């Protein structure tokens, strides 16, 4: 069945209690590495490190590419290729060092493609399969699960289960013949599309075991009552009217929209000066870099979180933004993602 529980109401603790009630071989499927880490730490404290794994058991060798491989650079560069100034690498793209023309540099960039394939050297590393009480994996790892491992699972828990209607998750669930216990956790399990709802029901069952909506969570003082404020950015519709390509609309209307970026930064500065802890969420690293440099112009150095950061640096930033008592401005891509524990 489904456990619908509002964001911030403690789904991770309910997931732990679900396992403790059953005490059978359990697979927990989560959407992101951040959530995987949070739940793994919780389980390790409760049942010990030897009983918890975040790796898919494998009975075959796997390739471990070494650190000398050439980093991927996606399919685009930000900044004008004619400019000879050194570019700063930001994930899959590049941008000019100069900060005074950030949006212009982004919108005037020329695309190029890296046609050379990186020379990858690899070592073969053997790892013996282990049988853990609890295995916690991300959605993407399901494709690497041996069928015999899936067949051995007795309890499966899908976090953010509104994704369970996806083909890859449902196929994996079909192999779990022994999984008599199946639970889905989400703050928003039911989608608008009826076919998606039917797929979710077929994967995890129709029964809704428990429901705690946002209003009830606020009434119980589990989460703070949210306040929404729309920041109007004076971007005329005619600015985008003749553009048909969605990517160009995104770049000109959002990422490279100077007026909009200035409005975001001004609001962040205002809240920071009031002693607030501010988090700015963006989709792309290039947008993060533009906003970061605009904040630096305002004498504020923000915390940065994105998927290209070293793991230790990213975890340290997330911990600081969650626990700090001082004013702070952070900018994060969706590498934090849904369900992350940010107090």
């Amino acid at each position: 069945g489904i456990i619908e529980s509002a964001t911030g109401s403690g789904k991770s603790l309910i997931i732990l209690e679900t396992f403790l009630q059953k005490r059978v071989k359990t697979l927990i499927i989560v959407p992101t590495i951040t959530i995987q880490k949070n739940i793994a730490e919780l389980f390790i404290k409760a049942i010990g490190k030897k009983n918890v794994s975040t790796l898919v058991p494998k009975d075959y060798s796997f390739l471990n590419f070494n650190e000398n491989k050439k980093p991927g650079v996606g399919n685009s560069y930000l900044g004008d290729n004619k400019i000879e100034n050194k570019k700063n690498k930001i994930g899959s793209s590049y941008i000019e060092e100069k900060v005074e023309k950030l949006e212009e540099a982004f919108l005037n960039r020329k695309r190029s493609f890296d046609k050379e394939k990186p020379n990858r050297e690899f070592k073969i590393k053997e790892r013996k399969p282990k049988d853990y009480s609890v295995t916690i994996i991300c959605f993407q790892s399901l494709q690497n699960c041996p069928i015999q491992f899936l067949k051995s699972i007795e309890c499966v828990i899908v976090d953010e289960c509104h994704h369970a209607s996806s083909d890859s998750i449902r196929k994996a669930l079909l192999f779990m013949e022994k999984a008599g216990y199946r639970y889905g956790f989400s703050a928003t399990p039911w989608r608008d599309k009826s076919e998606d709802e039917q797929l979710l029901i077929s994967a995890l069952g129709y029964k809704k075991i428990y429901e705690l909506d946002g209003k009830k969570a606020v009434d119980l003082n589990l989460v703070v009552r949210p306040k929404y404020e729309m920041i109007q950015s004076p971007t005329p519709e005619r600015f985008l009217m003749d553009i048909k390509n969605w990517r160009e609309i995104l770049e000109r209307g959002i990422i490279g929209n100077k007026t909009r970026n200035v409005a975001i930064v001004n609001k962040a500065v205002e809240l920071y000066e009031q002693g607030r802890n501010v988090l700015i969420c963006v989709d792309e690293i290039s947008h993060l870099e533009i906003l970061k440099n605009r904040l630096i112009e305002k004498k504020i150095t923000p915390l940065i979180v994105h998927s290209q950061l070293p793991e230790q640096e990213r975890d340290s930033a997330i911990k600081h933004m969650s626990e700090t008592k001082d004013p702070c401005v952070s900018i994060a891509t969706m590498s934090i993602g849904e369900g992350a524990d940010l107090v």
Side-chain angles (χ1 to χ4, degrees):
I2 306 293
I3 293 88
E4 181 178 350
S5 190
T7 300
S9 60
K11 288 201 301 293
S12 299
L13 287 169
I14 308 174
I15 290 172
L16 173 61
E17 182 63 24
T18 302
F19 168 78
L20 294 176
Q21 291 283 343
K22 304 302 177 186
R23 297 278 183 174
V24 296
K25 187 172 181 181
T26 300
L27 176 65
I28 301 173
I29 307 170
V30 300
T32 67
I33 293 176
T34 303
I35 299 175
Q36 182 189 38
K37 278 189 169 186
N38 290 337
I39 294 180
E41 289 173 2
L42 188 66
F43 270 81
I44 288 170
K45 287 179 183 178
I47 63 174
K49 190 173 182 179
K50 66 179 182 179
N51 296 312
V52 181
S53 174
T54 56
L55 297 172
V56 176
K58 296 179 181 178
D59 54 4
Y60 49 83
S61 304
F62 67 100
L63 303 182
N64 182 26
F65 295 110
N66 64 21
E67 296 179 355
N68 295 324
K69 70 176 182 178
K70 183 178 178 181
V73 291
N75 63 358
S76 63
Y77 296 86
L78 302 184
D80 194 326
N81 290 338
K82 292 181 180 179
I83 300 174
E84 295 181 357
N85 294 341
K86 183 180 178 181
K87 308 290 189 298
N88 290 328
K89 184 176 185 299
I90 50 172
S92 62
S93 52
Y94 292 78
I95 196 166
E96 286 186 78
E97 286 184 335
K98 296 181 180 180
V99 297
E100 64 269 18
K101 293 185 178 181
L102 291 167
E103 286 79 13
E104 289 84 348
F106 177 86
L107 294 172
N108 292 331
R109 81 336 187 190
K110 292 184 178 179
R111 294 183 182 275
S112 65
F113 296 85
D114 186 7
K115 296 181 180 179
E116 295 181 6
K117 292 184 178 180
N119 295 320
R120 291 183 171 179
E121 299 176 6
F122 60 86
K123 298 176 182 178
I124 294 179
K125 184 177 179 180
E126 297 288 344
R127 181 161 63 82
K128 295 180 180 179
K130 294 183 178 180
D131 202 17
Y132 294 92
S133 298
V134 178
T135 303
I136 308 163
I137 64 171
C138 295
F139 293 165
Q140 299 91 329
S141 300
L142 280 172
Q143 62 186 355
N144 298 323
C145 281
I147 293 177
Q148 63 269 28
F149 168 69
L150 296 177
K151 286 180 178 290
S152 71
I153 296 300
E154 297 169 287
C155 174
V156 58
I157 296 172
V158 183
D159 191 23
E160 306 299 347
C161 68
H162 45 278
H163 297 294
S165 60
S166 69
D167 199 43
S168 58
I169 296 177
R170 290 187 71 253
K171 281 183 178 178
L173 290 169
L174 288 173
F175 284 113
M176 300 181 204
E177 299 166 351
K178 291 184 180 180
Y181 301 115
R182 296 172 181 244
Y183 303 104
F185 287 78
S186 178
T188 53
W190 309 115
R191 292 181 170 184
D192 293 333
K193 295 182 180 180
S194 59
E195 59 266 31
D196 278 350
E197 182 178 332
Q198 292 303 315
L199 287 171
L200 178 59
I201 290 169
S202 68
L204 296 167
Y206 188 82
K207 181 181 178 183
K208 189 177 287 187
I209 297 171
Y210 182 73
E211 183 177 359
L212 176 67
D213 60 26
K215 184 179 183 303
K216 188 175 179 181
V218 170
D219 293 340
L220 292 172
N221 293 321
L222 292 173
V223 296
V224 71
R225 184 180 297 279
K227 176 184 176 182
Y228 296 94
E229 177 186 349
M230 300 300 294
I231 304 172
Q232 297 298 329
S233 178
T235 303
E237 290 185 8
R238 63 179 179 274
F239 180 67
L240 302 172
M241 191 178 296
D242 296 328
I243 303 175
K244 305 301 181 184
N245 181 278
W246 72 269
R247 181 70 205 180
E248 190 175 355
I249 291 174
L250 174 68
E251 292 178 356
R252 291 184 176 275
I254 296 179
I255 298 174
N257 186 334
K258 181 178 179 181
T259 304
R260 193 176 188 279
N261 289 333
V262 169
I264 293 170
V265 168
N266 287 344
K267 189 64 181 179
V269 171
E270 175 190 329
L271 294 169
Y272 174 82
E273 291 176 347
Q274 293 174 6
R276 302 290 186 87
N277 187 350
V278 184
L279 172 61
I280 302 172
C281 299
V282 298
D283 280 331
E284 299 193 10
I285 295 175
S286 53
H287 198 189
L288 178 150
E289 288 289 322
I290 289 171
L291 293 174
K292 181 187 79 172
N293 286 319
R294 290 213 168 276
L295 280 163
I296 291 174
E297 289 176 335
K298 299 283 188 178
K299 311 301 181 186
I300 296 175
T301 302
L303 282 173
I304 298 300
V305 180
H306 60 73
S307 59
Q308 301 297 325
L309 285 178
E311 185 177 358
Q312 187 174 357
E313 186 178 340
R314 186 173 67 245
D315 291 347
S316 176
I318 292 173
K319 183 178 180 181
H320 181 81
M321 73 169 72
S322 183
E323 298 178 356
T324 183
K325 303 297 182 184
D326 299 320
C328 177
V329 178
S330 309
I331 314 174
T333 63
M334 293 311 293
S335 61
I336 287 185
E338 61 185 341
D341 290 334
L342 292 176
V343 180

